[in-house]
Short mmCIF file of all heavy atoms in Angstrom, two decimals:
data_model
loop_
_atom_site.label_atom_id
_atom_site.label_comp_id
_atom_site.label_asym_id
_atom_site.label_seq_id
_atom_site.Cartn_x
_atom_site.Cartn_y
_atom_site.Cartn_z
N MET A 241 -10.92 -1.14 12.93
CA MET A 241 -9.52 -1.17 12.69
C MET A 241 -8.68 -0.98 13.89
O MET A 241 -7.55 -1.64 14.04
CB MET A 241 -9.15 -0.15 11.61
CG MET A 241 -7.66 -0.08 11.15
SD MET A 241 -7.11 -1.74 10.44
CE MET A 241 -7.77 -1.51 8.80
N THR A 242 -9.08 -0.29 14.87
CA THR A 242 -8.45 -0.05 16.10
C THR A 242 -8.34 -1.41 16.90
O THR A 242 -7.18 -1.74 17.32
CB THR A 242 -9.15 0.93 17.04
OG1 THR A 242 -9.15 2.22 16.39
CG2 THR A 242 -8.49 1.08 18.39
N HIS A 243 -9.45 -2.19 16.84
CA HIS A 243 -9.41 -3.47 17.46
C HIS A 243 -8.45 -4.45 16.82
O HIS A 243 -7.71 -5.12 17.43
CB HIS A 243 -10.84 -4.04 17.50
CG HIS A 243 -11.06 -5.21 18.40
ND1 HIS A 243 -11.90 -6.21 18.03
CD2 HIS A 243 -10.61 -5.51 19.62
CE1 HIS A 243 -11.95 -7.11 19.04
NE2 HIS A 243 -11.08 -6.64 20.05
N THR A 244 -8.45 -4.32 15.47
CA THR A 244 -7.56 -5.22 14.65
C THR A 244 -6.12 -4.94 14.95
O THR A 244 -5.28 -5.67 15.09
CB THR A 244 -7.93 -5.03 13.17
OG1 THR A 244 -9.30 -5.20 12.94
CG2 THR A 244 -7.09 -6.02 12.29
N PHE A 245 -5.81 -3.58 14.95
CA PHE A 245 -4.40 -3.18 15.24
C PHE A 245 -3.93 -3.60 16.63
O PHE A 245 -2.92 -4.17 16.76
CB PHE A 245 -4.31 -1.61 15.15
CG PHE A 245 -3.00 -1.06 15.64
CD1 PHE A 245 -2.03 -0.80 14.76
CD2 PHE A 245 -2.82 -0.72 16.97
CE1 PHE A 245 -0.78 -0.35 15.16
CE2 PHE A 245 -1.61 -0.28 17.43
CZ PHE A 245 -0.56 -0.04 16.51
N LYS A 246 -4.83 -3.54 17.55
CA LYS A 246 -4.39 -3.98 18.95
C LYS A 246 -4.14 -5.43 18.98
O LYS A 246 -3.29 -5.90 19.71
CB LYS A 246 -5.51 -3.47 19.93
CG LYS A 246 -5.47 -1.95 20.11
CD LYS A 246 -6.51 -1.51 21.13
CE LYS A 246 -6.43 -0.03 21.50
NZ LYS A 246 -7.56 0.45 22.38
N GLU A 247 -5.03 -6.17 18.26
CA GLU A 247 -4.93 -7.60 18.29
C GLU A 247 -3.57 -8.07 17.59
O GLU A 247 -2.94 -8.96 18.09
CB GLU A 247 -6.07 -8.22 17.56
CG GLU A 247 -6.04 -9.71 17.33
CD GLU A 247 -6.19 -10.56 18.66
OE1 GLU A 247 -6.62 -9.99 19.64
OE2 GLU A 247 -5.62 -11.65 18.61
N ILE A 248 -3.25 -7.38 16.61
CA ILE A 248 -1.92 -7.66 15.86
C ILE A 248 -0.75 -7.31 16.75
O ILE A 248 0.20 -8.18 16.87
CB ILE A 248 -1.89 -7.06 14.49
CG1 ILE A 248 -2.86 -7.67 13.57
CG2 ILE A 248 -0.46 -7.00 13.96
CD1 ILE A 248 -3.04 -6.90 12.19
N MET A 249 -0.83 -6.21 17.38
CA MET A 249 0.25 -5.79 18.33
C MET A 249 0.38 -6.70 19.50
O MET A 249 1.46 -6.95 20.04
CB MET A 249 0.13 -4.34 18.75
CG MET A 249 0.29 -3.32 17.59
SD MET A 249 1.93 -3.25 16.95
CE MET A 249 2.81 -2.32 18.30
N ARG A 250 -0.75 -7.28 19.96
CA ARG A 250 -0.74 -8.07 21.07
C ARG A 250 -0.13 -9.49 20.74
O ARG A 250 0.59 -10.03 21.74
CB ARG A 250 -2.19 -8.38 21.49
CG ARG A 250 -2.38 -9.27 22.79
CD ARG A 250 -3.86 -9.48 23.09
NE ARG A 250 -4.38 -10.44 22.04
CZ ARG A 250 -4.24 -11.80 22.07
NH1 ARG A 250 -3.55 -12.33 23.04
NH2 ARG A 250 -4.78 -12.50 21.18
N HIS A 251 -0.25 -9.98 19.53
CA HIS A 251 0.21 -11.27 19.31
C HIS A 251 0.45 -11.44 17.80
O HIS A 251 -0.40 -11.58 16.94
CB HIS A 251 -0.92 -12.34 19.68
CG HIS A 251 -0.55 -13.73 19.42
ND1 HIS A 251 0.73 -14.20 19.60
CD2 HIS A 251 -1.27 -14.76 19.09
CE1 HIS A 251 0.73 -15.52 19.43
NE2 HIS A 251 -0.51 -15.87 19.03
N TRP A 252 1.75 -11.42 17.46
CA TRP A 252 2.18 -11.64 16.10
C TRP A 252 3.55 -12.29 16.08
O TRP A 252 4.31 -12.00 17.08
CB TRP A 252 2.20 -10.30 15.27
CG TRP A 252 2.26 -10.43 13.76
CD1 TRP A 252 3.30 -10.45 12.97
CD2 TRP A 252 1.09 -10.67 12.99
NE1 TRP A 252 2.82 -10.62 11.66
CE2 TRP A 252 1.51 -10.70 11.65
CE3 TRP A 252 -0.28 -10.79 13.21
CZ2 TRP A 252 0.64 -10.94 10.58
CZ3 TRP A 252 -1.17 -10.96 12.17
CH2 TRP A 252 -0.67 -11.06 10.85
N GLN A 253 3.87 -12.99 15.08
CA GLN A 253 5.22 -13.62 15.03
C GLN A 253 6.19 -12.66 14.38
O GLN A 253 6.40 -12.70 13.19
CB GLN A 253 5.10 -14.96 14.28
CG GLN A 253 4.17 -15.98 14.99
CD GLN A 253 4.02 -17.22 14.12
OE1 GLN A 253 4.98 -17.91 13.70
NE2 GLN A 253 2.76 -17.61 13.89
N TRP A 254 6.75 -11.80 15.10
CA TRP A 254 7.51 -10.72 14.68
C TRP A 254 8.76 -11.21 13.88
O TRP A 254 9.26 -10.51 12.94
CB TRP A 254 7.94 -9.74 15.71
CG TRP A 254 6.84 -9.08 16.51
CD1 TRP A 254 6.39 -9.29 17.77
CD2 TRP A 254 5.92 -8.24 15.91
NE1 TRP A 254 5.27 -8.62 18.06
CE2 TRP A 254 4.88 -7.94 16.90
CE3 TRP A 254 5.70 -7.65 14.65
CZ2 TRP A 254 3.87 -7.02 16.76
CZ3 TRP A 254 4.59 -6.87 14.46
CH2 TRP A 254 3.74 -6.52 15.47
N GLU A 255 9.29 -12.42 14.19
CA GLU A 255 10.51 -12.87 13.53
C GLU A 255 10.25 -13.15 12.03
O GLU A 255 11.16 -13.20 11.28
CB GLU A 255 11.09 -14.09 14.20
CG GLU A 255 10.19 -15.30 14.12
CD GLU A 255 9.07 -15.42 15.21
OE1 GLU A 255 8.93 -14.41 15.93
OE2 GLU A 255 8.39 -16.45 15.32
N THR A 256 8.94 -13.20 11.69
CA THR A 256 8.51 -13.55 10.33
C THR A 256 8.25 -12.30 9.46
O THR A 256 7.93 -12.39 8.28
CB THR A 256 7.35 -14.41 10.30
OG1 THR A 256 6.17 -13.73 10.70
CG2 THR A 256 7.49 -15.67 11.14
N THR A 257 8.35 -11.13 10.13
CA THR A 257 7.98 -9.81 9.46
C THR A 257 9.13 -9.30 8.63
O THR A 257 10.16 -9.91 8.46
CB THR A 257 7.52 -8.82 10.50
OG1 THR A 257 8.54 -8.63 11.47
CG2 THR A 257 6.28 -9.26 11.18
N TRP A 258 8.90 -8.11 8.12
CA TRP A 258 9.94 -7.39 7.39
C TRP A 258 10.03 -5.99 7.85
O TRP A 258 9.14 -5.49 8.50
CB TRP A 258 9.47 -7.45 5.82
CG TRP A 258 9.52 -8.77 5.29
CD1 TRP A 258 8.37 -9.71 5.43
CD2 TRP A 258 10.49 -9.41 4.47
NE1 TRP A 258 8.76 -10.84 4.69
CE2 TRP A 258 9.98 -10.76 4.18
CE3 TRP A 258 11.74 -9.04 4.08
CZ2 TRP A 258 10.76 -11.63 3.38
CZ3 TRP A 258 12.53 -9.89 3.32
CH2 TRP A 258 11.97 -11.24 2.97
N GLY A 259 11.09 -5.32 7.44
CA GLY A 259 11.44 -4.00 7.95
C GLY A 259 10.40 -2.87 7.76
O GLY A 259 10.36 -1.94 8.53
N TRP A 260 9.58 -3.03 6.78
CA TRP A 260 8.56 -1.95 6.56
C TRP A 260 7.33 -2.16 7.23
O TRP A 260 6.33 -1.31 7.24
CB TRP A 260 8.30 -1.72 5.05
CG TRP A 260 7.74 -2.84 4.16
CD1 TRP A 260 8.53 -3.73 3.42
CD2 TRP A 260 6.35 -3.27 3.97
NE1 TRP A 260 7.62 -4.64 2.72
CE2 TRP A 260 6.38 -4.39 3.14
CE3 TRP A 260 5.17 -2.77 4.49
CZ2 TRP A 260 5.21 -5.01 2.63
CZ3 TRP A 260 3.99 -3.35 4.07
CH2 TRP A 260 4.02 -4.53 3.16
N ASP A 261 7.17 -3.32 7.99
CA ASP A 261 5.87 -3.60 8.68
C ASP A 261 5.66 -2.69 9.86
O ASP A 261 4.63 -2.29 10.26
CB ASP A 261 5.85 -5.02 9.26
CG ASP A 261 5.83 -6.00 8.01
OD1 ASP A 261 5.17 -5.67 7.04
OD2 ASP A 261 6.44 -7.17 8.10
#
Side-chain angles (χ1 to χ4, degrees):
M241 185 56 82
T242 298
H243 196 217
T244 305
F245 172 90
K246 289 179 177 178
E247 176 66 22
I248 288 170
M249 292 293 285
R250 182 186 69 82
H251 180 37
W252 199 261
Q253 297 175 52
W254 299 114
E255 68 275 9
T256 70
T257 56
W258 296 80
W260 59 263
D261 294 327

